[in-house]
Amino acid sequence: MQLLEGRKTARELEGKLQERVLEMIEKHGRAPKLVVVLVGDNPASLSYVKSKEKACQRTKIDSKIIKLPKTVSQDDLLKVIRDLNKDSKVDGFIVQLPLPEHIDESTILNEVAPEKDVDGLSLLNAGKLMNRQSGFVPATPKGVMMLLNHYSIPLRGKHAVVVGRSNIVGSPMAKLLLNNDATVTVTHRYTENLKHYTLQADLIVVATGVVNLITADMVKEGAIVVDVGINRVGDKIVGDVDFENVKEKTSYITPVPGGVGPMTISALIHNTMDAFLNKMENSKK
Ligand code: NAD
């Protein structure tokens, strides 16, 4: 069994990214800029936003957090987004999810200009992924692909079983694996006999938020297991996989924490760099 070390991989990739950022500062007089819009004070969101800010600082990407009260109206939030869309110094921005209940998530996400939508959650970017066109891909599934690629794990012809079908993780994950020539099965909360499918998997990617959903009896000998889940149990963070028992059967497995989480942040800042490069390229046309 080998660990897929997300934290270590993310740091290595950040080192390379920082070199490119420094080149960009030299060439264009400024660094790429990411803005994170945070509504309310959800502790998990605050901690994710801080990690994103720290990753920007490490790579010299310019970052800013716009904090809004959880009572902010949808119209006022839309206005903030429109201003960011117009701001020529902002290359990419994200609206941290979840949003308070009085705000319609898809209205907000679709207001983000596609060329600045570094979370890849607008309909246009989702559609591009669906049609195998290049666009921004949501950070978590992109981070998983970067991790698999870093460990040179072949996907062509392999059977990948994705557990979970959210717009943020499971569905784009399945499409990325399919676009990389894996044979993909998507499972979800209504799947009957989940084990029947996971036992056939060369690669399992699980993103459900259900602690210990994947147990050792559900995993084929030598399979690769990627655990996206982040669950707080007491004062510990665990994934969706019964790690201690499952790890013995796998060829590769991600730890939680230190697996997919840091890769998600890495993918986001790589998307920000891409948004910056696209803008510089387009300004020449
Ligand atoms: P979600 O609640 O939007 O979706 C959960 C999915 O799991 C649904 O598609 C549902 O059908 C499926 N599911 C639920 N119970 C199931 C069961 N018993 N069997 C099979 N499928 C089941 O959640 P999400 O936003 O996709 O996040 C999933 C998990 O990943 C959460 O723990 C979240 O905290 C974590 N997450 C981690 C990162 C990261 O960077 N590591 C990023 C995003 C989400």
Side-chain angles (χ1 to χ4, degrees):
M1 182 279 294
Q2 196 183 339
L3 280 180
L4 294 168
E5 293 183 86
R7 180 159 296 122
K8 196 169 148 218
T9 305
R11 291 291 190 278
E12 271 181 55
L13 296 175
E14 277 175 15
K16 290 182 195 150
L17 187 63
Q18 195 214 61
E19 283 173 27
R20 292 176 65 208
V21 172
L22 293 175
E23 279 172 30
M24 291 303 120
I25 295 173
E26 184 93 340
K27 193 168 165 193
H28 299 288
R30 72 169 181 91
K33 181 169 181 178
L34 171 69
V35 174
V36 178
V37 180
L38 176 63
V39 180
D41 49 13
N42 174 326
S45 296
L46 271 170
S47 127
Y48 296 143
V49 167
K50 272 199 191 120
S51 306
K52 289 167 187 175
E53 194 181 26
K54 280 189 196 149
C56 285
Q57 284 163 356
R58 286 193 298 269
T59 49
K60 312 283 183 228
I61 287 179
D62 198 3
S63 70
K64 182 178 167 188
I65 301 173
I66 298 180
K67 284 190 183 154
L68 300 170
K70 65 170 180 279
T71 51
V72 71
S73 70
Q74 178 160 311
D75 282 349
D76 284 349
L77 180 56
L78 284 170
K79 186 176 174 314
V80 170
I81 293 173
R82 288 181 194 126
D83 287 346
L84 289 168
N85 285 343
K86 278 188 253 155
D87 187 337
S88 62
K89 293 282 185 297
V90 173
D91 301 294
F93 68 97
I94 67 165
V95 181
Q96 183 68 40
L97 301 178
L99 289 168
E101 275 186 7
H102 66 278
I103 296 176
D104 180 53
E105 198 173 282
S106 71
T107 303
I108 297 300
L109 296 177
N110 282 308
E111 198 65 30
V112 179
E115 67 277 13
K116 295 191 179 188
D117 171 31
V118 285
D119 243 351
L121 295 176
S122 64
L123 288 176
L124 190 88
N125 280 313
K128 282 187 169 176
L129 177 62
M130 193 44 81
N131 278 7
R132 305 181 75 152
Q133 290 176 24
S134 81
F136 291 115
V137 172
T140 301
K142 177 175 168 140
V144 171
M145 297 305 286
M146 287 163 68
L147 187 61
L148 296 173
N149 183 42
H150 186 78
Y151 282 85
S152 306
I153 291 173
L155 295 170
R156 177 166 290 177
K158 302 293 177 201
H159 184 194
V161 173
V162 178
V163 189
R165 58 170 173 183
S166 68
N167 288 346
I168 296 178
V169 191
S171 292
M173 186 75 249
K175 192 63 177 87
L176 278 172
L177 291 165
L178 191 59
N179 290 357
N180 280 274
D181 302 333
T183 302
V184 181
T185 301
V186 184
T187 61
H188 47 78
R189 70 173 80 244
Y190 301 112
T191 299
E192 291 176 6
N193 197 358
L194 180 61
K195 178 177 170 180
H196 168 79
Y197 300 98
T198 56
L199 268 178
Q200 297 173 45
D202 300 307
L203 165 68
I204 301 173
V205 181
V206 54
T208 64
V210 181
V211 176
N212 284 340
L213 180 67
I214 304 298
T215 48
D217 59 313
M218 297 168 79
V219 177
K220 181 170 84 173
E221 203 67 50
I224 298 158
V225 173
V226 174
D227 189 353
V228 179
I230 300 180
N231 311 295
R232 188 170 283 281
V233 176
D235 56 1
K236 274 182 70 184
I237 299 286
V238 299
D240 297 348
V241 174
D242 175 12
F243 180 83
E244 283 308 319
N245 294 309
V246 168
K247 72 174 188 210
E248 306 303 339
K249 294 187 85 174
T250 61
S251 53
Y252 292 94
I253 186 167
T254 56
V256 177
V260 175
M263 291 306 299
T264 295
I265 291 168
S266 188
L268 173 70
I269 57 179
H270 279 83
N271 276 348
T272 304
M273 175 57 125
D274 288 346
F276 175 87
L277 293 173
N278 292 342
K279 184 192 276 174
M280 293 306 159
E281 191 58 32
N282 286 334
S283 68
K284 281 195 235 150
K285 283 178 187 161

